[in-house]
Every structure is written in structure tokens, then in C-alpha cells.
Amino acid sequence: MSAQQDDLLEQYRDTLLGVFGDPSLVLVSGEGVHVTDANGKRYLDLLAGIAVNALGHAHPAWVKAVSEQAGTLAHISNLFTSPGGIALGRRLLELTAAPQGSHVFFANSGSEANEAAFKLARRHGTEHPDSRGRPRERVIALEHSFHGRTMGALALTAKEAYRAPFEPLPSGVSHVPATVEALEAALDDTVAAVFVEPVQGEAGVLGLPEGFLARARELTREHGALLVVDEVQSGIGRTGAWLASTAQLPEGEFPDAVTLAKGLGSGFPVGALLTVGPEVSGLLGAGQHGTTFGGNPLAMAAALATLGVIEDEDLLASARRVGEHLAEGLRGVDGVLRVRQYGLLLGVDLEQAAPDDAVAQRVVAAGRDAGFLLNATGPGTLRLAPPLIITEREADTFVAALPLLLDTARRG
């Protein structure tokens, strides 16, 4: 590491709050699927800002859209609206095939989108009391879930290490295993909503059991609860479809609400809550929720450009094809136990010397030295979420390098 990068990292430690720990690199530029650090070293980005940079870095169409919008109108507050916000809302409803009467609320992040969904659940619980006439106060989320770090989203998040320092959290949330049996046992008419991730990315790219989401739709409808699907990480093409939940629900079935963020702006902060149908959309009225920066024209331009490029470059099909190719290559590497692949969201379980052997973290470090940006979600699991524009040839460079990275990690 050169003196330049060392100096910048020292300034970071002296200046910025240490909630992220020590960053390993100072990144200064990017192009396509590569980024460059302050020393001039280039890396293949296999994380994409944690599934954010859907179009990679500095995509010409994205840069043009954001630059032109910055030159005309950047922020207006939500006392007003803009053509871009209207266009993006309509586009999202079209792409997700949401039923008539569905609406969109724009936020700045996945946590904000899930906060809005939590408030939606609370309003539903008040407006649709239980059989004894009392507000529904219970909300169900899944074990291993991650819905964000703000207080409401954190209450929905299962990981004890994230939750414990900030308790008491908003009450009424319980976490159940991702099994139909557990959901059936937990659901009754005191439940306002069930929150589900179609793929649990933070937990190591864990998919739901076959039929779980469809049964959750049946059960929530039967008991009068909302089904809220968190597609913050899995949506907007990441799994090879606009929504990962589409493939898990019967044709014509929809959740009651969907949250989006990450890849929606391809690097520009933007989140969204989709409320499905007029009844659910009517739960939040004027003055009951808001955000200063949500829906600003710059974010809308970035998101519209992102959706346009995904369509124009057929990146949904590419995510499926390249993701399958990458998974097949990884499964052939000695030391790889399992690969869970959903489009270009992959969880890679590695052989460990012991259950607490942090081999994945050592592979991340070895990968960084070799010019790859990787992420470990646990001691033995890598998460790969490269830009949707990655090619098979670019993916193959990592597959070819992985045996040496694993060997380095074993000796490390």
C-alpha cells in the first residue's frame, strides 16, 4: 500500500465515524466492471457496491442522464413534483405488472423504503382490527432476515448483533424460521403484516423453500395480514427478473407491498415502496409519511436511465446467463462446497478447517491483493453481486484465480 493511500486512510480514521470499521481501500474511479484505487491499482468489481451498481461504473447513458438533469433541476422538495418522478413511478408499475390502483412512494434507501412499509403495516393493523376489535400489533419477519439499520427496519432485522446495542426497538416483531409450518403456526388475526426477502442476501444468499412465498400469500390473505416483500437487494434485474418474487408466486398473484432500492439508481441513492391495489395504497394519506430528498429529479433521472439500459442491453437475460455460467465454473473449483445462484446474486460456501474458520474473509483479502473486490457474509461464505453488465469472460477470470486465492487463504 503506497504512502498516498496510507495517508488517506489515516485521514479517514481521524475524520469519519468508525461505524464501518477500517476501510481496506480508497477507491477513486471506475469504468465498466472495474474500479481503481488511490494507488492506481485496478480491480474487477464482484460486489458492485453491494448489489447497487447495476450498470457498473460510469455507464455513458447513466452519466449523460444524471449530468443533463444536474444542469436543469436537482432538487425541488415534495411540495412539488417533476416529470421524472411521475415517469419513474409509472415505469415501475408497468415493469412489475402491478394491478390497477397501485402506487409508488420514493425514498432514499432500502432502510427508508422498509420504514415506510413498517408504517404501512401499522396503519393496516389499526384500520383492520383483530376479531376482538383491537389493533393488530404483531409483525412477522423471518430468521436470518436483513431489512436495514434504522430503528423500524432494525426491528424487522433478525441478527442479534445488529439489534442488541439499540434495544428497546419498536415492539411487536417476531422472527420465525422460513418454513411453511412455522409461518402457519405464527399467523393469526393479530398479525398486521409478514415481511419476506425472496433471497436473503445478507445471510449468505439464502433462497426461500419452494412454495413458501405462495403459501405466505395464501395465509396472509386468509388472516387479513399484509404480505410485504423486500426486494431491496433482489429486485431490478439482480436475479434475472425485475422482481425475484414474480417467479415464486402464482401467475396473477402479488404481494401487498414491495420495497426496492440498491440497483434501482445504479449508484445514485434511491428507494421505493410499491403499494399494490387501491386499498393498500389508501393506508398512508397526506401528512402521514414523507422525506425531504425522496423523489428528487436527480435520483429519478438516474433510475430511469438504469431501467432503460437494463431493457436496451437485455441485462435480465444476461444476468441469468452469466450467473449460471459463473456458478457452473465455481462449482468445479476444489474447495467450493456449494453455490447458490439467483441471476447475478451468488452465495459461495467454502471448505473450512473448523466451523469458525474465517476462510472467506481470508479469500476476500487474497482477492483484493490479486485485483478482485469480494465480500464475505460469514466465516465460510462469499457473496458475489457483480454489475449486471459483466461478461462471461470477465467472470471467468475470477473462476480461474479462485484456486490460488483459496490456497493463499489456507496458508494464511
Side-chain angles (χ1 to χ4, degrees):
M1 188 176 291
S2 76
Q4 181 180 3
Q5 185 148 250
D6 277 343
D7 180 60
L8 287 169
L9 289 174
E10 189 61 35
Q11 292 180 48
Y12 177 98
R13 297 182 193 101
D14 291 342
T15 306
L16 299 175
L17 197 63
V19 294
F20 302 112
D22 274 352
S24 55
L25 298 171
V26 178
L27 300 178
V28 297
S29 65
E31 182 179 8
V33 295
H34 293 90
V35 292
T36 303
D37 70 14
N39 297 343
K41 183 175 179 177
R42 198 164 176 251
Y43 304 83
L44 178 64
D45 185 0
L46 293 171
L47 185 57
I50 313 182
V52 167
N53 296 93
L55 308 184
H57 304 276
H59 191 288
W62 187 93
V63 171
K64 181 175 184 291
V66 173
S67 299
E68 290 180 352
Q69 187 62 55
T72 55
L73 193 64
H75 177 73
I76 55 176
S77 91
N78 283 297
L79 297 174
F80 313 100
T81 191
S82 69
I86 297 168
L88 180 59
R90 290 175 62 88
R91 198 77 192 96
L92 286 174
L93 295 176
E94 291 169 1
L95 292 173
T96 58
Q100 190 72 25
S102 300
H103 287 74
V104 180
F105 167 79
F106 288 117
N108 305 289
S109 68
S111 288
E112 267 200 37
N114 283 325
E115 289 284 342
F118 201 161
K119 290 177 74 173
L120 189 79
R122 291 291 196 228
R123 288 289 300 136
H124 178 76
T126 300
E127 292 293 306
H128 299 84
D130 65 20
S131 58
R132 287 179 283 186
R134 300 180 304 189
R136 298 166 178 254
E137 296 182 348
R138 294 178 57 216
V139 172
I140 293 174
L142 298 183
E143 293 180 356
H144 308 297
S145 61
F146 181 84
H147 296 285
R149 293 183 185 263
T150 51
M151 291 297 277
L154 185 58
L156 296 167
T157 294
K159 191 170 182 177
E160 182 65 18
Y162 294 161
R163 298 164 53 87
F166 306 103
E167 292 174 340
L169 297 169
S171 64
V173 179
S174 57
H175 295 90
V176 304
T179 67
V180 168
E181 294 77 15
L183 190 60
E184 288 175 340
L187 250 176
D188 58 29
D189 71 353
T190 68
V191 174
V194 175
F195 280 73
V196 176
E197 297 164 276
V199 182
Q200 295 179 321
E202 181 78 4
V205 190
L206 304 179
L208 296 174
E210 187 174 354
F212 178 90
L213 194 59
R215 183 61 177 145
R217 174 68 288 184
E218 293 174 352
L219 289 168
T220 49
R221 186 174 287 125
E222 176 184 331
H223 291 286
L226 298 181
L227 177 62
V228 181
V229 176
D230 178 342
E231 296 252 18
V232 167
Q233 186 163 163
S234 60
I236 311 300
R238 173 55 52 189
T239 64
W242 292 113
L243 296 178
S245 54
T246 301
Q248 300 182 36
L249 288 169
E251 186 174 356
E253 288 283 9
F254 292 86
D256 295 299
V258 178
T259 56
L260 299 167
K262 289 192 179 288
L264 179 57
S266 196
F268 201 99
V270 56
L273 167 68
L274 276 62
T275 54
V276 178
E279 183 177 344
V280 177
S281 297
L283 289 171
L284 291 176
Q288 291 184 329
H289 195 54
T291 173
T292 296
F293 295 103
N296 70 80
L298 267 178
M300 302 298 94
L304 283 168
T306 299
L307 298 181
V309 171
I310 290 174
E311 285 192 302
D312 292 345
E313 299 187 9
D314 199 15
L315 295 183
L316 298 184
S318 181
R320 296 191 297 271
R321 183 183 66 253
V322 179
E324 290 170 2
H325 177 83
L326 176 56
E328 183 180 0
L330 292 169
R331 291 185 181 110
V333 174
D334 185 38
V336 171
L337 293 178
R338 285 171 297 275
V339 178
R340 294 175 294 280
Q341 179 257 329
Y342 304 88
L344 278 170
L345 183 59
L346 297 92
V348 185
D349 291 339
L350 307 175
E351 289 181 355
Q352 296 170 267
D356 61 348
D357 175 24
V359 62
Q361 283 89 340
R362 296 196 301 275
V363 168
V364 169
R368 189 166 57 245
D369 291 343
F372 300 95
L373 295 190
L374 307 169
N375 173 244
T377 60
T381 302
L382 298 174
R383 169 176 49 179
L384 304 180
L388 302 185
I389 62 170
I390 193 170
T391 65
E392 291 183 0
R393 172 180 281 186
E394 289 162 338
D396 285 343
T397 63
F398 173 65
V399 174
L402 185 55
L404 181 57
L405 302 184
L406 285 166
D407 184 60
T408 301
R410 293 187 192 105
R411 291 185 282 104

